[in-house]
Amino acid sequence: MTTRSRIGLYIILDRALLGDRDPAAVLRSLLDAGAGWFQYRDKRASDEEVAGELARLGPLCRSGGARLLVNDRAHLAASRHADGVHLGASDMAVGEARRLLGPGKIIGRSAQTVDEALRARDEGADYLGAGAVYPTTTKGDAAPLGVAGLAAICRAAGDLPSRIRERHHSPPPVRGRDREGGRTAAENVGVRTPGIPVVAIGGITRARAAEVLAAGASGVAVASAVLSAADPGEAARGIVEEIGRFVRAHGSGLNS
């Protein structure tokens, strides 16, 4: 995965939200709708059960040109059926996951603060899941970041598209010199670690997609907005359309 990636629609295939529906059948409809990133999450299943689902879903994603990650369980991401792992803020360190998986796998990390985002970026995460941006039932214990908090993470650690930066973000203020390096804040901006894509998560709906993309996100992650819909494929298609509309309105506003 390059650091200049437009992620677009990222769907969390939460087994609890899928209910009795076949994950593979739902995945097919989401692929047809244009979603390109998926994360399989099942907090209650055994490793063997999750590995079995990855074996079913991985080939479908591969044939559809999509990415499939597994939630939390980095050891299962070593499978040829998974493209990588998404780690929560309290899960194993990014460096430990990288040693386990090697350079060919994608590692994402959740971040709710700028400090968490910078730490994940510097440890070698490939992308950030920033949120919850809005109140959400799937992350009920998380105080929402708000769009301003998301923008701060995108500005500090994200691979912020230049056109979005110009329209929606001002440069950081210069506040004297660093205690250790003796450089000004403006000088530090010039030598900072390259950013990584930021995926906005938490309470994202079709109506909110453009707002989080305008804040600098490279993609939007959803779970209940799609999986709780009567027709998940149609719900996903609506969000993909909003992302496409934003890209057309802002030129190459999202990373490509």
Side-chain angles (χ1 to χ4, degrees), residues 171-188:
V174 176
R175 300 186 184 280
R177 298 191 171 266
D178 294 343
R179 293 179 182 177
E180 296 180 1
R183 292 189 299 265
T184 66
E187 289 167 339
N188 276 332

Side-chain angles (χ1 to χ4, degrees), residues 71-153:
N71 176 263
D72 290 354
R73 309 188 203 199
H75 57 290
L76 296 184
S79 161
R80 62 187 176 88
H81 300 300
D83 293 297
V85 64
H86 183 85
L87 302 170
S90 60
D91 293 330
M92 73 164 59
V94 172
E96 183 180 352
R98 181 64 69 200
R99 286 190 293 275
L100 175 66
L101 298 175
K105 295 287 187 174
I106 298 168
I107 299 176
R109 169 71 93 180
S110 296
Q112 198 179 9
T113 67
V114 167
D115 284 346
E116 288 178 353
L118 291 172
R119 187 179 310 115
R121 180 203 66 185
D122 294 344
E123 289 177 352
D126 292 302
Y127 76 88
L128 297 168
V133 180
Y134 306 97
T136 173
T137 55
T138 56
K139 294 286 185 179
D141 59 340
L145 279 176
V147 175
L150 170 65
I153 287 176

Side-chain angles (χ1 to χ4, degrees), residues 39-61:
Q39 178 193 144
Y40 185 72
R41 180 169 70 190
D42 190 339
K43 296 290 189 180
R44 298 182 178 180
S46 66
D47 281 355
E48 183 178 5
E49 290 169 325
V50 173
E53 286 297 342
L54 293 176
R56 295 178 66 222
L57 303 178
L60 292 174
C61 285

Side-chain angles (χ1 to χ4, degrees), residues 11-12 14 17 21 41 136-138 202-205 221-230 235:
I11 298 178
I12 299 170
D14 190 320
L17 292 174
R21 292 171 292 179
R41 180 169 70 190
T136 173
T137 55
T138 56
I204 310 295
T205 62
V222 299
S224 59
V226 165
L227 298 184
S228 296

